[in-house]
Amino acid sequence: MRKRIQNIPPFNDFLNLSKQDFNNTRLLIFHGISGSGKSTNLNYTAHYHASFQNQSRKWIWTHHKRFKTGAVKNYDLVVVDEIITPFQLPAITKLLDTNKKVAVASHLNPAWFKILCPFTPTLSFRTDASSEKIRAYLDNKGILYSPESILSFCKTYGSNYVDLQCILENHTGKSFDDALRWNQKFNKIKNFTPAKWIPTLPRLKFD
């Protein structure tokens, strides 16, 4: 797990979720690397999207482990955060049997879900493929950047907000190019696993 800072970026609907109609979908999959916005988009979908207003919902934190589903029944939407191994997938099929819709944050290729749920109406969204969201984040902060620095960042770290914030936090200059060069020369982003991991629902901010 990467170090997180408190700065909350405005919600960027780079997946165009607001234009999606989920009425005929039973399984929603947000897949991508850590920090790319899976949980944030789950939060937006569950609490702000028109398809799920005034509906019952249940949020499940898996803590990256197998989880029980026996008591989770008859919800309009069950949100599962997050799936990292195929061994967690049987629980998803059980949730689909006893609830109307399921939305997940996943590190797995969506093909895994297709194998276990071949006939379930499914929509999948990749959260780490857009460089436009990185540009939008920097534009919102008024930070200058070159197209080359965006490409270099996404190639090295993937399209994710956490590493982006860490790089900006460690360099006070206004140019992202300078911050990226500084990070590549003097710093190295490290991952760590905390002794006690307390999951929190992402806070969303709208322009």
Side-chain angles (χ1 to χ4, degrees):
M1 180 178 292
R2 299 176 183 85
K3 177 183 178 183
R4 295 179 182 270
I5 60 177
Q6 295 301 313
N7 187 25
I8 304 173
F11 177 71
N12 178 8
D13 189 16
F14 62 92
L15 297 174
N16 291 317
L17 296 176
S18 61
K19 299 179 181 179
Q20 291 287 338
D21 183 352
F22 297 121
N23 290 328
N24 296 321
T25 301
R26 294 205 59 223
L27 177 61
L28 284 64
I29 305 169
F30 295 93
H31 64 104
I33 61 175
S34 296
S36 61
K38 297 187 300 297
S39 297
T40 299
N41 281 282
L42 279 176
N43 188 9
Y44 170 78
T45 301
H47 294 96
Y48 297 95
H49 196 278
S51 295
F52 301 104
Q53 294 301 301
N54 302 316
Q55 295 194 11
S56 60
R57 63 182 69 90
K58 173 70 174 180
W59 197 289
I60 297 176
W61 303 102
T62 70
H63 296 274
H64 295 175
K65 300 177 182 178
R66 295 185 185 183
F67 56 100
K68 297 180 180 180
T69 63
V72 184
K73 297 179 180 179
N74 301 318
Y75 285 94
D76 294 313
L77 176 66
V78 178
V79 181
V80 181
D81 193 356
E82 60 187 336
I83 299 297
I84 67 168
T85 171
F87 293 112
Q88 295 171 294
L89 293 180
I92 301 300
T93 62
K94 292 179 181 178
L95 288 173
L96 286 167
D97 288 339
T98 57
N99 300 275
K100 289 185 178 180
K101 299 178 188 291
V102 177
V104 304
S106 174
H107 288 256
L108 301 179
N109 188 300
W112 281 102
F113 295 86
K114 192 66 175 178
I115 293 173
L116 269 76
C117 312
F119 305 111
T120 301
T122 303
L123 282 177
S124 63
F125 301 90
R126 183 177 175 183
T127 57
D128 60 2
S130 170
S131 60
E132 289 300 322
K133 70 180 186 183
I134 304 298
R135 294 185 177 90
Y137 182 95
L138 296 173
D139 287 339
N140 183 268
K141 286 184 165 296
I143 298 174
L144 300 176
Y145 59 87
S146 68
E148 291 76 18
S149 67
I150 301 295
L151 291 175
S152 177
F153 170 80
C154 290
K155 182 178 180 180
T156 303
Y157 300 105
S159 180
N160 81 90
Y161 292 121
V162 175
D163 289 335
L164 177 64
Q165 291 174 6
C166 288
I167 288 172
L168 294 173
E169 182 185 47
N170 291 326
H171 187 72
T172 57
K174 292 185 178 180
S175 167
F176 180 61
D177 296 56
D178 291 340
L180 186 61
R181 282 193 294 267
W182 178 273
N183 180 78
Q184 292 171 336
K185 186 174 182 179
F186 297 107
N187 299 319
K188 188 175 182 180
I189 296 175
K190 297 181 180 180
N191 295 339
F192 69 96
T193 301
K196 291 184 178 181
W197 179 40
I198 303 175
T200 57
L201 194 66
R203 291 192 297 165
L204 301 187
K205 182 172 68 173
F206 298 92
D207 288 333

